[in-house]
Amino acid sequence: MQDTVDMVDDPEYEEEEPSFSDPEDFVDDIDDEELLDDILREKPQEADGIDSVVVVDNVPQVGPERLEKLKNVIHKIFSKFGKITTEFYPEADGMTKGYIFLEYASPNQALEAVKNADGYKLDKQHTFRVNLFTDFDKYMNISDEWETPEKQPFKDFGNMRHWIEDPDCRDQYSVIYEAGERTAIFSNDAKEPITVEERARWTETYVRWSPKGTYLATFHQRGIALWGGEKFKQIQRFSHQGVSLIDFSPCERYVVTFSPLMDTKEDPQAIIIWDILTGQKKRGFHCESSAHWPIFKWSHDGKFFARMTPDTLSIYETPSMGLLDKKSLKITGIKDFSWSPGDNIIAFWVPEDKDIPARVTLMQMPSRQEIRVRNLFNVVDCKLHWQKNGDYLCVKVDRTPKGTQGVVTNFEIFRMREKQVPVDVVEMKESIIAFAWEPNGSKFAVLHGESPRINASFYHVKNNGKIELIKMFDKQQANSIFWSPQGQFMVLAGLRSMNGALAFVDTSDCTMMNIAEHYMASDVEWDPTGRYVVTSVSWWSHKVDNAYWLWTFQGRLLQKNNKDRFCQLLWRPRPPTLLSVEQIKMIKKDLKKYSKIFEQKDRLSQSKASKELVDKRRAMMEEYRRYREAALQNYHEQKSIRLELRGGVDTDELDSNVDDWEEETIEFFINEEIIPLGDL
């Protein structure tokens, strides 16, 4: 130990310092990312956070004395779309510059602000222009040289409306059976359905046709798939986990999906609106409950859609999916609303509030002009019923008149095509079970009363301002009204608890064409032409007797189609006719000429069917004859084998080997009766 100390203290002893320099021929092949990857990941980026920043232009230029007030107004408007973390108001010469920067907590909130606040009118001189901060960088980096866009391959899905070109004008319908395991598409025929397509596990729950029949929607755990064309190829799919409900816009441009599984405050995904052609998500919305589906109701042309929240009616426009005029309608106490099927008019009703009566309002869109307001008193509830063409609106008003007990129902009939929209009233003191307008006409039907004394009344709205009771059938077994899509004919049905009673009515003279029954029927579906109607017992509501029956509009039963665990039948809708009103009138005028052509075609088809049936039977008979001859030949060829097996005894004929027969008599004691002589 002492020797070591002496060596350290000796000034002549110097320890050589190690060299940390790289040799001259050393090549450094390790980059910073490999060496310091974990540290570099945390390095702040130049563009961090700018996805959440929006730039608002056309902001009023103010001095210090009005700056605080401006900030409060801006914050109130823009905090609706999310949490604002930073606000910056650039200034020059003591005045704001007319544009500001707002940073949100997330990029989705910033995007929502751009969608809803761009174009917001603050006052007459100031309309906001709102852009994402990242958009400026994108526009600055656009090349000055034109680049030809890449040509996308054309996807040919075939004729999307091929079924309309059927030479025999057969309509199609979808059927789900085997408890949802199988789905089939059939062409309707009076004799028997013709299978068009059939697949196993095509959908996981149910199917839905689009309003014009172009697409068939199927449901899956991961989303929705749309099918179409002659072979029902997949046209589009929309990823929405746990989707349970959908709705189409009337123009078939958009589809709305709902899932109870996916929703966050930052990124609303409970309800998503999709563009059908591109498959792109247009906008997402929050949704607390789907009890009243559809949440969004569409205008007849698909240009607007609206939803109701407490004290608010929000109307959105397409294709921007933004609020109309950037603001919702404040309607205190609004209970329900409905679009006209023929015009961009919204009807809504508000209940009574202290001394203010209940009211029904008709509002024109997009001007928001009130075209009619109707005050109502002692109102319990209201229901809005539009006629299919939007010619009439019926408001079913349940009232409790002062000084009386019980509920009285008024039908307030708004004549939409007349000046100042006059209103007629029909009062009914019995309880109302069902109400329905004739689709293409001015009649309506009402089921009223209590079982077993249920009455069916038919009314006609006349041009002279009167509503006439045409006919009333008493003691009907019915709880539902189903009009033919073409009007005039209807089915009064007693579904489920009423054991499937059916009454086929012609409302032109109010005659009962037929009375029938489909036991435990749960659904009634008219075909688009009004020629046929289907009644069915769904496995979803009743576990036995699952089938669908096809009837003529007069109530003549054509088919009984039993399907194992049948669930659902839906007719494929037809798009609106391309014929003008004048052309339709000409066809009706020359109907006898066309009828002769179709009657001749029907006779030919019947004779053709008869010939096919005879040919089929002849073929079956010929097949049987050939089989019998082959069996007899085989029988004769095996006779020697039979004789050998039976010791030379021929048992082929009943009277063979008579000499070997032995006669044997067998007696049976049947009965014994003793009769006393004294009784004779």
Side-chain angles (χ1 to χ4, degrees), residues 183-221:
T183 303
I185 311 295
F186 295 102
S187 274
N188 180 42
D189 190 86
K191 299 173 188 66
E192 59 180 354
I194 302 165
T195 305
V196 176
E197 192 73 28
E198 187 171 3
R199 298 178 191 175
R201 293 178 291 281
W202 199 350
T203 183
E204 293 181 18
T205 51
Y206 61 101
V207 300
R208 177 97 186 264
W209 292 103
S210 61
K212 297 178 182 178
T214 309
Y215 307 104
L216 177 71
T218 57
F219 288 72
H220 310 273
Q221 181 60 31

Side-chain angles (χ1 to χ4, degrees), residues 502-568:
L502 304 169
F504 295 82
V505 183
D506 181 354
T507 62
S508 62
D509 53 4
C510 287
T511 55
M512 283 278 188
M513 297 182 290
N514 190 26
I515 295 175
E517 182 184 80
H518 185 176
Y519 183 67
M520 293 308 294
S522 57
D523 300 283
V524 175
E525 295 282 348
W526 281 93
D527 86 316
T529 66
R531 294 179 296 169
Y532 302 100
V533 63
V534 164
T535 59
S536 60
V537 181
S538 173
W539 184 77
W540 290 335
S541 60
H542 195 65
K543 299 302 181 186
V544 295
D545 300 328
N546 304 128
Y548 67 91
W549 294 3
L550 182 71
W551 312 74
T552 66
F553 68 92
Q554 297 163 317
R556 182 164 58 90
L557 182 61
L558 298 176
Q559 298 172 18
K560 290 185 178 182
N561 293 291
N562 298 315
K563 290 284 186 184
D564 178 33
R565 290 168 293 167
F566 163 84
C567 298
Q568 180 197 49

Side-chain angles (χ1 to χ4, degrees), residues 89 117 180 339 356 371 430 580 631:
Y89 290 71
W339 286 94
I356 303 171
I371 57 177
E430 293 182 306
S580 64

Side-chain angles (χ1 to χ4, degrees), residues 18-63:
S19 173
F20 293 99
S21 301
D22 294 327
E24 291 182 5
D25 58 346
F26 176 77
V27 178
D28 188 358
D29 57 353
I30 302 176
D31 56 19
D32 290 344
E33 290 182 4
E34 185 178 349
L35 194 63
L36 306 169
D37 182 49
D38 53 338
I39 298 173
L40 290 173
R41 273 202 301 266
E42 299 175 7
K43 178 184 176 182
Q45 301 295 317
E46 186 179 345
D48 273 358
I50 65 171
D51 287 344
S52 304
V53 177
V54 298
V55 183
V56 186
D57 206 356
N58 293 339
V59 177
Q61 293 177 288
V62 298

Side-chain angles (χ1 to χ4, degrees), residues 46 144 154 201 287 349 373 394 466 482 529 555 589 679:
E46 186 179 345
D144 293 334
F154 173 69
R201 293 178 291 281
C287 181
W349 80 277
V373 177
C394 172
K466 292 183 179 179
F482 297 95
T529 66
K589 185 180 177 183
D679 295 338

Side-chain angles (χ1 to χ4, degrees), residues 371-389:
I371 57 177
R372 189 69 162 90
V373 177
R374 176 81 168 174
N375 290 330
L376 305 167
F377 299 90
N378 306 314
V379 174
V380 177
D381 191 23
C382 285
K383 291 286 185 294
L384 307 173
H385 301 276
W386 284 97
Q387 188 252 11
K388 183 183 173 184
N389 299 326

Side-chain angles (χ1 to χ4, degrees), residues 449-462:
E450 299 286 345
S451 183
R453 299 185 61 85
I454 295 174
N455 302 320
S457 297
F458 302 91
Y459 291 87
H460 182 213
V461 183
K462 293 198 164 184

